[in-house]
Amino acid sequence: MGVIDVPLHRLYYNPATHRIRAQRGHDPELARGLDADPWSPESQDYLNRLLVGKSANPDEIDPDFEALMDSLKAVDQQEPGLITHEGILVNGNTRAAALRKLKRPSIRVGVLPPSFTWEDINAVELALQLRPDERRDYSYINRLIAMEEQELMGRDAADIARAFHVQLKTFKQERWILSVIRDMIDRSGTPEGARLALSDFEGHQENLKELHRTYVRMSAASQERAEQVKENRIVAILLDFAKTKTRLIGEGFQAQYLEANLPELLTSDAGEAASAVAIPGLSVSVPADSDPVRQARAATDRVLWAKASESARHLSSESREAAQREVTAARRGMRRALDEAERDDRLKRVRQTTAERLDDARAAIDQSVTDLVEALAKGSLDEESFDSALLRLKGSMAKLARQASRGVATPGTGVNWLIKASEG
């Protein structure tokens, strides 16, 4: 296939490119226009804006895009793009956007045969993007969408994992994460038409992966507790807390910390359900979610609605400001709950460290017994040094006993022994 120079004004951005699939819904009104007529100037301008912008916030220019512009300015175009016979960019959409911003008149491209279908075009784009030497990767959510698309086309999971250069277990994890994201988007819809977009979940990759690991581990013991923790963690993720904070949310977090700090969310009617849930098409019912799970879902739904409303362009400024106040209040309450959980976790770790140090001391004493036996057998014991070491040990045990007698509310057998031993 030969490479030719094509004037940029004669080319169209690919509306189906995986590069910005998650970002299409960033502006709902423009997204509807893009679906209706992707070749109109307005739709092409919208695609240009998405290609230039950050994956998590298309309103801001992506530093990676600026780096691409700097590269093209310094060394010109190194690799050709790829277009259809009709002039639609298959590979090189972002490069075309950068060249247009640099006021370059044309782009070097190869041209696909006229017989190529949209299915062929998508397959070619994906194959080119997944090459190990590709300069700019898909964003996280767009990568998840590309995996989903391949599975919906009937490809085997193991084959998809190999194509994306990941293990099969990672592919399954990614599919679970996307299903959770889609569920959150569905639940975020408000009566006023506000709704979160896929791009709103960009930037949470590590948090979502840790959520999956925790959910799998907990669901092996209790599906109900796993669902409750999942809902609580999603609230923290939506409120932009880091992974180091969200991992504090485990079994008991809702009852111990969240109920006291976010009572207005957990007492919402949003999660109310009947005592039993009927299965469509069958004359049987299954138990509804337990109260803690229903409360957890209610809290998540409230935060989802507020997050969707605060950025909905079609809502009034008063509605958006009210939603922002609710998000701020929820973030403040979640921060208090997480701070309390972190403090208790730190105290627990201190208690564990104290016991671990005593275990180390015990092991050292056991080794000293062996050393003493060998020294006595060889007649090499330094009795004066041995006696001095024992007195130092006695002093340390006395200090430990004093602290234990003051700080331990209900002394056990071991603490009582220590106190009596130090009195001798």
Side-chain angles (χ1 to χ4, degrees), residues 214-227:
T214 301
Y215 183 84
V216 170
R217 185 180 69 251
M218 293 192 68
S219 60
S222 169
Q223 186 71 31
E224 212 169 74
R225 285 196 290 271
E227 284 293 328

Side-chain angles (χ1 to χ4, degrees), residues 6-12 100 104-106:
V6 177
L8 282 162
H9 72 270
R10 294 183 58 184
L11 299 181
Y12 293 98
R100 280 173 170 165
R104 300 290 172 81
S106 62

Side-chain angles (χ1 to χ4, degrees), residues 316-329:
S316 66
S317 58
E318 292 81 6
S319 297
R320 293 199 302 272
E321 287 169 4
Q324 287 170 0
R325 287 194 296 272
E326 187 164 2
V327 170
T328 300

